[in-house]
């Protein structure tokens, strides 16, 4: 009997399993084995030149990050001072004869910028926007069988400046080859909404767009199944007719009992599985993850998620991944989100453009509230060659594609149609906003539409109490227009409390706040020089520290922003202030405000470019999470004669007592709305100890010791086991320690890395915004005691050994195992 059954299965596998033509949709990662060449001369016949130098690489790829920093690069230091240029990519591939009746599409998730694509020398088209995903149909131009196909992509990022931050250059996001039946669900072809949600049940509305490229009408069955944790919850089947060369959008409603809601703490996801049958044969399958949740921006109570108040504690982030440049890597993004989650962040604003699709997938899974942003400029430019050049021709298509691409993500709650758009001050801006709103509404009715505006009145006169008034010549026309569902503006925190008077009918979100400036690990003291105290943003650079450091106490910000504490104190005070997005979560390449060379990256991050938290991270952690926090800083390596300010952020405790060499320096408690306590302490070598207590009981103890000379290196990986897939990463923190294991806070030692086994070093960094060392080198200086090495797996099992050497320090090494589980 057993043998018979085995035969039966074997026959089944032979008939169906191995027959390729039985396959429904396949989505193949198309990143590997491309050839790349950076164009030396501007010449359209470049590809035919025999001296073109091609190198082989895998996507995603950012060629700018491999270049040298130079003040004279046309991107300027706002763009990160790295080179742009024109790059060519090409790849050959075969398509099997058996697939002759199939359709083939190539999907680019994002190419910066001005991409043009050819298949077998047939021109497929151009896409100027560097952030949006796009697709081409390859089918009519393909060779099937043994003859190769060649895809060519030209990427033109030569006209600069075209961005106010580092953009990266190249095919920096994923590429997919999609094979479908002639009848299939369209690209971004589903739209899932949940119009009615109660504790007992949820109504799920699913629109599915199906295209029929056969030369005849097809009778099909569309079967939609809702899954939770891979288990079927409900399903629905419908017979439909689709005429030849037509697209049909079918809408259906399904009911889910006792729905599991998506929330920030518990981001539960469902999947809609769409299956299309012709004559009982499955021809297409398509999966749409979605979430069930209700939300509202209330005029008085702020943001309500599933009827519960949730303050949006958000950050803005640009899209670069530090040393990796803009080349997308899911683990690198996930690590950023993990670090933010630890800080208590629950919101992300995708400043100022469509993010990588993987970011939204992660936000869905990890529970973040996303403000999804489309543009930094409309028709009026901010940089000479920016998006304004292509605005007229492309904005409709770009915005439509953006909404279609992102509208099923439960993490997306707000659409932003622009950031600090120049036209906001006049009627032209209002008209454009109306047009954009109509485009968005036509495709999604479920989210609120806002823009990161400048304040509602021009703040030049600095009268923050001014009432919003149309009689005021400086009023913000877009804010006044009533077009936006949510009034969102950047900075001007002192006006926030006037919001209910200024805009009694529209809820509020602080789309961008703070712009604090800090160098991780560096601290100015009052006793140093008067020039540095209090530290002002303008002298912080022009008359400030010659090495362009900015003190890490939360005391420096741009004049349009505030210290971190100042803005958060306002936001936390009123329920009607639904939340804020700090500028920024992470430091980013470019915009080294206030613009003094050799700085080439920003100082705004709560976390530095390498991913190391600055001190103010712990202020947020003490305010934004429930865990007990005691963070005491700075270090304890000063000169005798220095008076040193010791700050402590703490939570889940009533008081903190500080001791120096076991002698109490007194107990401090936060008074009023204070968010930290401080002692000014004359330096004496030894041990500072802080104890936080609640009701007299010890909650946490922290010690900071005077470090001796540097003598050893510690290596600490965020993950000691990674996947052997050629993509996964381990982020290794390198610290310089003294002989007792105390970090040496001023250590700048150069450390050389060597690697053995199936891995490679793909980036090094230390968070220093002024460094011009290459991110791709195999050595790095420690910066205030620390640096980072990023190791990527190769495609085989084994153990990677990373070793760190530095003159005068003991050698150190760490093992990273490669394992699929
Ligand atoms: C804002 C702008 C951001 C960034 C920031 C720096 O006005 O929206 O993109 O430039 O200033 O403080």
């Amino acid at each position: 009997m057993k043998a018979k059954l085995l035969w039966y299965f074997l026959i089944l596998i032979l008939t169906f399993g191995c027959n390729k033509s039985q396959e429904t949709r396949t989505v193949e990662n198309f990143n590997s084995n491309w050839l790349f060449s950076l164009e030396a001369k501007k010449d359209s016949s470049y590809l035919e030149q025999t001296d073109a130098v091609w190198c082989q690489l895998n996507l995603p790829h950012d060629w700018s990050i491999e270049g040298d920093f130079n003040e004279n690069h046309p991107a300027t230091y706002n763009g990160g001072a790295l080179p742009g240029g024109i790059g060519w990519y090409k790849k050959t591939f075969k398509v099997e004869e058996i697939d002759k009746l199939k359709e083939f599409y190539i999907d680019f998730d994002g190419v910066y910028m001005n991409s043009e694509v050819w298949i077998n020398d047939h021109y497929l088209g151009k896409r100027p926007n560097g952030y949006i995903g796009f697709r081409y149909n390859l089918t009519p131009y393909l060779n099937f069988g043994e003859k190769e196909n060649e895809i060519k992509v030209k990427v033109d990022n030569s006209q600069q400046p075209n961005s106010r931050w580092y953009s990266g250059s190249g095919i920096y996001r994923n590429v997919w080859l999609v094979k479908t039946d002639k009848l299939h669900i369209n690209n971004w072809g589903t739209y899932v909404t949940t119009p009615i949600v109660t504790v007992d049940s949820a109504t799920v509305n699913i629109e599915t767009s199906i295209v029929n490229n056969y030369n005849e009408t097809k009778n099909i069955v569309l079967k939609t199944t809702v899954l939770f944790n891979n288990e079927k919850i409900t399903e629905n089947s419908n017979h439909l007719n689709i005429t030849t060369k037509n697209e049909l959008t079918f809408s259906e409603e399904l009911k889910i009992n006792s729905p599991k809601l998506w929330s920030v703490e518990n981001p539960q996801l469902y999947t809609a599985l769409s299956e299309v049958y012709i004559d009982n044969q499955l021809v297409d399958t398509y999966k749409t993850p979605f979430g069930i949740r209700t939300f509202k921006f209330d005029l008085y109570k702020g943001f309500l998620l599933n009827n519960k108040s949730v303050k949006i504690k958000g950050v803005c982030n640009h899209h670069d991944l530090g040393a990796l440049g803009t080349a997308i890597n899911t683990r690198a993004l996930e690590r950023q989100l993990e670090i933010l989650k630890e800080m208590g962040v629950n919101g992300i604003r995708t400043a100022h453009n469509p993010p990588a699709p993987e970011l939204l997938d992660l936000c869905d899974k990890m529970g973040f509230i996303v403000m999804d942003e489309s543009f930094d400029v409309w028709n009026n430019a901010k940089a000479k060659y920016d998006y304004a050049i292509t605005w007229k021709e492309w904005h409709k298509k770009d915005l439509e594609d953006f909404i279609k691409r992102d509208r099923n993500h439960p993490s997306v709650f707000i659409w932003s149609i622009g950031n600090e758009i120049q036209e906001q001050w006049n009627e032209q801006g209002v008209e454009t906003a109306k047009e954009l709103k109509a485009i968005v509404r036509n495709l999604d009715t479920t989210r609120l539409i806002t823009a990161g505006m400048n304040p509602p009145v021009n703040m030049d006169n600095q009268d923050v109490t001014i009432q919003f008034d149309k009689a005021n010549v400086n009023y913000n026309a877009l804010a006044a227009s009533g077009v936006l569902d949510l009034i969102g503006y950047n900075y001007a925190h002192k006006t926030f409390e006037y919001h209910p008077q200024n805009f009694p009918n529209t809820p509020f979100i602080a789309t961008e706040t703070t712009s604090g400036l800090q160098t991780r690990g560096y601290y100015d003291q009052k006793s140093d020089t008067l020039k540095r105290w209090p530290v002002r943003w303008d002298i912080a650079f022009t008359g400030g520290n010659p090495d362009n450091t900015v003190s890490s106490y939360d005391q420096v910000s741009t004049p349009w922003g505030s210290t971190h504490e100042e803005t958060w104190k306002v936001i936390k005070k009123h329920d009607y202030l639904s939340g804020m997005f700090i500028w920024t979560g992470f430091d980013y390449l470019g915009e080294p405000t206030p613009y003094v060379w050799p700085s080439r990256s920003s100082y705004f991050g709560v976390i530095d470019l390498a991913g190391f938290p600055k001190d103010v991270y712990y202020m947020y952690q003490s305010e934004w999470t429930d865990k007990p926090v005691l963070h005491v800083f700075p270090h304890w390596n000063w000169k005798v004669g220095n008076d040193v300010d010791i700050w402590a952020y703490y939570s889940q405790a009533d008081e903190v007592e500080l001791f120096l060499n076991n002698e109490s320096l007194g107990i401090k408690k936060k008074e009023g709305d204070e968010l930290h306590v401080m002692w000014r302490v004359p330096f004496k070598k030894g041990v500072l100890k802080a104890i936080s207590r609640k009701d007299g009981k010890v909650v946490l103890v922290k010690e900071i010791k005077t470090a001796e000379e540097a003598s050893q290196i510690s290596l600490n990986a965020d993950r000691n086991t990674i996947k052997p897939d050629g993509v996964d990463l381990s982020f290794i923190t390198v610290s310089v320690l003294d002989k007792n294991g105390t970090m040496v806070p001023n250590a700048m030692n150069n450390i050389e890395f060597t690697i053995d086994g199936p891995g490679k070093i793909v980036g090094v960094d230390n968070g220093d915004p002024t460094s011009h060392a290459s991110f791709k080198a195999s050595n790095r200086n420690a910066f205030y005691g620390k640096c980072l090495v990023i190791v990527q797996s190769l495609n085989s099992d084994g153990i990677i050994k990373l070793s760190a050497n530095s003159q005068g320090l003991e050698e150190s090494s760490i093992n990273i195992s490669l394992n699929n589980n």
Side-chain angles (χ1 to χ4, degrees):
M1 179 67 191
K2 255 190 181 165
K4 243 188 182 175
L5 260 180
L6 262 177
W7 266 114
Y8 179 69
F9 279 124
L10 206 63
I11 288 165
L12 258 183
I13 287 167
L14 285 175
T15 348
F16 295 106
C18 299
N19 187 343
K20 285 233 167 190
S21 65
Q22 292 295 319
E23 270 177 8
T24 60
R25 166 186 305 252
T26 61
V27 180
E28 184 193 329
N29 182 299
F30 213 51
N31 287 341
S32 58
N33 293 328
W34 287 74
L35 291 174
F36 171 70
S37 180
L38 202 52
E39 184 171 303
K41 303 162 219 156
K42 273 198 169 207
D43 182 346
S44 56
S45 63
Y46 174 71
L47 278 181
E48 277 63 59
Q49 288 169 11
T50 46
D51 59 350
V53 183
W54 294 91
C55 62
Q56 194 177 337
L57 50 76
N58 293 340
L59 306 176
H61 174 236
D62 169 12
W63 79 70
S64 295
I65 202 69
E66 290 159 14
D68 295 331
F69 293 102
N70 190 322
E71 197 177 3
N72 299 321
H73 283 314
T76 77
Y77 39 53
N78 268 331
L82 287 165
I86 295 178
W88 286 88
Y89 296 82
K90 59 182 182 178
K91 170 173 167 122
T92 50
F93 62 104
K94 285 184 186 163
V95 188
E96 289 183 45
E97 195 71 44
I98 197 168
D99 286 329
K100 227 170 173 155
L101 297 177
K102 298 282 182 187
E103 301 208 328
F104 286 82
Y105 297 88
I106 188 161
D107 286 353
F108 292 89
D109 283 350
V111 181
Y112 203 93
M113 62 184 294
N114 288 316
S115 65
E116 290 177 90
V117 184
W118 292 259
I119 178 76
N120 297 334
D121 288 328
H122 175 88
Y123 187 65
L124 292 168
K126 175 171 182 149
R127 194 66 177 228
N129 189 313
Y131 298 103
I132 196 66
F134 52 92
R135 149 177 288 199
Y136 294 112
N137 184 358
L138 305 179
T139 324
Y141 321 105
L142 284 180
N143 304 313
F144 291 84
E146 278 313 297
K147 194 159 175 212
E148 299 260 22
N149 295 284
E150 186 187 50
I151 187 131
K152 274 190 298 220
V153 183
K154 180 184 183 189
V155 183
D156 186 348
N157 191 15
S158 62
Q159 287 202 306
Q160 298 191 343
N162 58 49
S163 174
R164 299 189 300 111
W165 54 88
Y166 175 71
S167 64
S169 308
I171 309 182
Y172 72 105
R173 289 184 182 163
N174 289 308
V175 181
W176 310 94
L177 185 70
V178 181
K179 179 175 78 174
T180 67
D181 189 83
K182 282 189 189 308
L183 188 140
H184 59 265
I185 294 168
N186 219 344
N187 191 26
W188 307 318
T190 54
Y191 178 39
V192 183
T193 53
T194 52
I196 304 168
V197 180
T198 66
V199 180
D200 299 328
S201 81
T203 305
V204 182
N205 192 291
I206 306 182
E207 282 177 21
T208 312
S209 299
I210 306 164
V211 272
N212 174 11
N213 286 334
Y214 284 104
N215 288 325
E216 65 206 20
T217 298
K218 288 282 178 194
N219 305 317
I220 65 154
V221 172
L222 171 66
K223 180 172 157 199
T224 305
T225 312
V226 173
L227 304 163
F228 185 80
N229 281 341
N230 287 325
E231 266 178 41
K232 182 163 82 180
I233 303 296
T234 177
E235 68 175 32
N236 193 22
S237 283
N238 285 280
H239 289 266
L240 308 168
N241 276 341
I242 313 183
T243 52
T244 170
K245 308 283 179 224
N246 239 330
E247 177 175 341
L248 175 95
T249 300
F250 178 73
S251 182
E252 61 191 307
E253 245 181 41
L254 289 95
K255 278 243 161 10
I256 295 178
N257 294 328
S258 313
K260 310 250 187 324
L261 300 186
W262 185 97
S263 68
V264 168
E265 302 78 27
N266 200 2
Q268 311 191 81
L269 292 174
Y270 288 83
T271 302
L273 170 68
S274 317
E275 293 172 309
V276 183
Y277 294 84
I278 302 178
D279 300 332
N280 288 328
Q281 257 218 320
L282 185 62
V283 296
D284 198 14
T285 51
Y286 191 93
K287 281 186 184 169
T288 312
F290 69 97
I292 301 176
R293 77 281 190 269
T294 63
F295 72 97
K296 186 180 173 198
F297 282 87
D298 187 89
L299 279 177
Y300 310 101
K301 297 189 207 147
F303 181 63
L304 302 175
L305 180 58
N306 304 324
N307 293 320
K308 273 197 284 184
S309 266
V310 177
K311 188 71 96 178
I312 298 180
K313 299 159 183 166
V315 297
C316 307
N317 272 337
H318 275 312
H319 66 305
D320 76 64
L321 295 167
L324 303 175
T326 56
I328 181 72
N329 180 289
T330 307
R331 172 57 203 159
L333 270 179
E334 185 183 51
R335 168 184 178 251
Q336 287 197 334
L337 293 176
E338 283 170 1
I339 295 170
L340 292 169
K341 209 73 235 187
E342 274 292 302
M343 166 179 154
V345 170
N346 66 11
I348 303 286
R349 175 193 183 203
T350 70
H352 299 297
N353 38 258
E358 291 79 6
L359 178 77
L360 297 182
D361 293 342
L362 287 166
C363 288
D364 289 348
K365 285 185 201 145
M366 296 171 77
F368 285 92
I369 296 157
V370 176
M371 169 171 158
D372 206 1
E373 191 152 80
S374 46
F375 304 116
D376 190 50
V377 289
W378 293 346
N379 203 34
N380 294 357
K382 291 181 183 170
K384 192 166 176 197
Y385 299 107
D386 69 17
Y387 187 69
I389 294 178
T390 40
W391 171 259
K392 274 204 182 70
E393 191 186 344
W394 283 98
H395 71 271
K396 185 163 184 288
K397 172 87 177 136
D398 285 340
L399 186 58
E400 279 174 354
D401 286 356
F402 167 63
I403 304 292
K404 281 193 211 155
R405 189 194 73 159
D406 292 353
R407 63 186 172 171
N408 291 321
H409 287 281
S411 58
V412 175
F413 288 86
I414 307 168
W415 298 120
S416 165
I417 55 172
N419 173 61
E420 296 188 357
I421 297 297
Q422 314 271 328
E423 299 95 307
Q424 69 191 301
W425 302 104
N426 56 49
E427 286 308 308
Q428 186 204 343
V430 176
E431 286 314 304
T432 308
K434 281 185 192 159
E435 185 210 339
L436 301 183
K437 184 177 180 180
I439 293 171
V440 177
R441 274 285 164 272
N442 186 35
L443 293 166
D444 181 48
T445 50
T446 68
R447 277 89 170 186
L448 278 76
I449 297 172
T450 194
M453 289 182 286
N454 288 104
V457 283
N458 189 324
M459 297 294 293
D460 288 350
N461 59 16
Q462 295 296 314
D463 180 1
V464 293
T465 64
I466 202 160
Q467 291 275 308
F468 172 68
D469 178 1
K470 273 203 173 189
N472 182 328
V473 285
N474 290 322
Y475 80 94
N476 186 321
L478 179 55
S481 67
V483 173
L484 302 177
D485 306 324
L486 189 60
I487 291 289
Y489 54 88
N490 298 354
Y491 307 99
H493 63 290
K494 289 183 183 157
T495 68
F496 292 174
E497 292 184 283
Y498 295 88
H499 180 79
Q501 289 104 289
N502 289 341
F503 300 95
N505 303 316
T506 320
F508 168 90
I509 181 85
T511 39
E512 188 176 315
T513 70
T514 318
S515 274
L517 302 162
Q518 275 113 24
T519 304
R520 177 195 50 82
Y522 174 78
Y523 308 88
D524 282 330
Q525 296 301 339
K526 184 174 185 185
S527 55
D528 266 6
T529 63
L530 274 181
K531 170 177 90 177
R532 295 178 184 176
W533 188 273
V535 191
R536 286 192 358 231
W537 85 290
D538 48 351
I539 66 164
F541 283 73
T542 47
N545 302 323
D547 56 358
N548 283 11
T549 45
V550 183
S551 183
S552 239
Y553 295 106
D554 179 20
Q555 288 166 328
V556 195
S557 74
T558 57
W560 53 90
S562 74
T563 64
H564 289 271
E565 291 190 5
E566 212 178 317
T567 294
W568 170 237
K569 279 181 193 173
V570 184
I571 295 281
K572 79 184 264 196
K573 212 153 103 190
H574 302 289
D575 287 346
Y576 61 82
L577 301 173
S578 61
M580 64 192 260
F581 291 95
I582 307 164
W583 191 265
T584 48
F586 281 77
D587 276 344
Y588 53 93
L589 287 161
E591 214 181 25
T593 314
Y595 327 116
V596 179
W597 192 250
S599 297
R600 49 63 174 160
S601 58
S602 89
Y603 290 69
F604 294 121
V606 176
I607 300 151
D608 76 12
L609 198 70
F612 302 136
K614 301 178 188 175
D615 296 289
V616 76
Y617 177 95
Y618 301 96
M619 184 281 283
Y620 287 111
Q621 197 177 52
S622 71
E623 287 284 298
W624 288 3
T625 74
D626 292 335
K627 56 185 142 210
V629 170
L630 176 60
H631 180 73
V632 186
F633 63 101
H635 52 80
W636 202 235
N637 273 62
W638 301 90
K639 291 195 192 95
V640 175
N642 284 148
D643 284 335
V644 182
D645 286 359
I646 308 294
W647 285 33
Y649 298 125
Y650 70 92
S651 61
Q652 313 296 339
D654 317 313
E655 59 179 41
V656 181
E657 185 166 7
L658 189 68
F659 300 84
L660 175 56
N661 299 333
N662 290 322
E663 215 174 281
S664 175
L665 301 174
I667 294 176
K668 301 264 178 176
K669 295 173 190 224
K670 289 186 265 190
E671 306 289 346
D673 65 354
E674 276 175 1
L675 298 176
H676 72 268
V677 289
M678 188 196 105
W679 297 258
R680 185 161 292 162
V681 183
F683 175 71
K684 205 189 325 166
K685 189 177 167 192
V687 183
L688 270 181
K689 180 157 89 177
I691 302 179
S692 66
R693 298 189 194 96
K694 191 176 175 72
D695 301 328
K697 285 198 195 115
V698 174
V699 179
L700 289 169
V701 180
K702 281 279 151 79
E703 282 191 348
I704 306 177
K705 295 179 186 155
T706 307
E708 317 250 321
E709 255 179 49
S711 99
Q712 43 174 332
I713 304 167
S714 90
L715 299 174
N716 200 347
D718 68 334
R719 290 184 315 147
N720 292 88
T721 305
I722 59 175
K723 292 198 185 81
D725 58 3
V727 179
D728 206 0
L729 302 172
S730 182
F731 289 82
I732 298 158
T733 300
V734 183
S735 310
V736 177
L737 310 179
D738 71 4
K739 62 175 192 302
N740 306 313
T742 300
M743 191 186 85
V744 183
N746 295 318
M748 304 283 179
N749 308 53
N750 188 270
I751 300 170
E752 180 73 42
F753 303 102
T754 46
I755 194 160
D756 283 318
K760 59 178 180 184
I761 294 171
V762 286
V764 288
D765 191 13
N766 57 18
D768 175 2
T770 66
S771 170
H772 293 174
S774 169
F775 291 122
K776 300 294 167 192
S778 60
N779 71 87
R780 194 67 164 189
N781 282 8
F783 184 62
Y784 296 108
K786 283 186 186 179
C787 63
L788 176 82
V789 199
I790 310 169
V791 168
Q792 186 164 57
S793 64
L794 299 178
N795 279 306
S796 60
D797 281 345
I799 290 183
I800 303 169
K801 180 177 174 190
L802 181 87
S803 306
N805 277 285
S806 184
Q807 213 183 354
L809 306 184
E810 238 171 76
E811 183 184 339
S812 178
S813 69
I814 188 171
N815 286 347
I816 308 292
S817 340
L818 297 180
N819 194 324
N820 250 324
N821 307 310

